């Protein structure tokens, strides 16, 4: 194994920088595409003076209408995604935004009554006895 070779960051005046040589056994990664400058989160959410809604990671969000022209791109994306019920965690993952930012955006949409938030369906800890007996009798008949 050969030690890594150091190169000058800023070559002396008049010298051409040497092109990097590929090392043995290693493949070169393809060049990355153009880097996007991510928006600052406070630019997306705006001033955070209002109270946030009590949203959990598993709270389901459903949109009522199409995005209005006054909606921000992130809010429009949220409204387009929520045509079917999605959890806040899924929305955060699909938009690649932190949970706190999605919560602020959803609070604005909730106050404008463009979306509805509802708790997920919680199943009972124990199944109904009559249902279990029906399943057991059905299995015995097979």
């Amino acid at each position: 194994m050969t030690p890594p070779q150091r190169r000058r960051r800023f070559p002396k005046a008049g010298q051409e920088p040497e092109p990097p040589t590929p090392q043995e056994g290693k493949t070169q990664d393809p060049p990355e595409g153009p880097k996007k400058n991510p928006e600052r989160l406070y630019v997306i959410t705006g001033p955070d003076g209002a109270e946030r809604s009590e949203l959990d990671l598993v709270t389901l969000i459903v949109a009522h209408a199409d995005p209005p022209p006054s909606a921000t791109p992130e809010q429009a994306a949220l409204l387009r995604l929520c045509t079917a019920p999605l959890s806040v965690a899924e929305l955060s993952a699909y938009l690649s935004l932190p949970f706190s930012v999605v919560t602020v955006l959803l609070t604005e949409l909730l106050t404008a009554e463009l979306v509805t938030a509802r708790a997920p369906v919680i199943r009972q800890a124990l199944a109904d006895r009559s249902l279990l007996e029906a399943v057991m009798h059905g299995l015995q008949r097979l």
Side-chain angles (χ1 to χ4, degrees), residues 47-53 104 107-108 111:
D48 192 23
E51 294 183 20
R52 292 186 193 174
S53 297
V104 172
T107 300
E108 294 172 2
T111 56

Side-chain angles (χ1 to χ4, degrees), residues 84-102:
L86 284 176
S87 69
V88 179
E90 289 174 310
L91 292 171
S92 176
Y94 287 144
L95 295 176
S96 300
L97 291 173
F99 172 73
S100 58
V101 173
V102 174

Side-chain angles (χ1 to χ4, degrees), residues 26-65:
K26 290 190 177 182
T27 59
Q28 289 183 342
D29 293 332
E32 295 182 21
K35 302 245 181 191
K36 296 186 334 185
N37 292 332
E39 295 290 332
R40 299 277 184 189
L41 298 179
Y42 59 83
V43 172
I44 293 173
T45 60
D48 192 23
E51 294 183 20
R52 292 186 193 174
S53 297
E54 294 293 326
L55 296 174
D56 195 6
L57 285 171
V58 293
T59 302
L60 296 176
I61 307 294
V62 182
H64 295 300

Side-chain angles (χ1 to χ4, degrees), residues 2-142:
T2 59
Q5 297 179 0
R6 296 180 180 229
R7 301 194 187 280
R8 291 183 182 262
R9 289 186 186 172
F10 305 105
K12 294 180 183 177
Q15 289 184 345
E16 292 286 326
E18 296 179 16
T21 57
Q23 296 179 358
E24 292 181 41
K26 290 190 177 182
T27 59
Q28 289 183 342
D29 293 332
E32 295 182 21
K35 302 245 181 191
K36 296 186 334 185
N37 292 332
E39 295 290 332
R40 299 277 184 189
L41 298 179
Y42 59 83
V43 172
I44 293 173
T45 60
D48 192 23
E51 294 183 20
R52 292 186 193 174
S53 297
E54 294 293 326
L55 296 174
D56 195 6
L57 285 171
V58 293
T59 302
L60 296 176
I61 307 294
V62 182
H64 295 300
D66 291 333
S70 62
T72 64
E74 291 80 17
Q75 289 174 337
L78 279 171
L79 289 170
R80 282 192 300 271
L81 284 172
C82 292
T83 54
L86 284 176
S87 69
V88 179
E90 289 174 310
L91 292 171
S92 176
Y94 287 144
L95 295 176
S96 300
L97 291 173
F99 172 73
S100 58
V101 173
V102 174
T103 304
V104 172
L105 293 172
L106 286 174
T107 300
E108 294 172 2
L109 293 174
L110 284 167
T111 56
E113 296 182 357
L114 294 172
V115 296
T116 302
R118 63 180 182 180
V121 177
I122 299 174
R123 297 186 180 166
Q124 295 179 347
L126 297 174
D128 185 26
R129 183 178 175 95
S130 62
L131 176 65
L132 291 175
E133 287 176 357
V135 170
M136 183 177 70
H137 292 304
L139 289 173
Q140 287 173 349
R141 287 186 203 150
L142 292 175

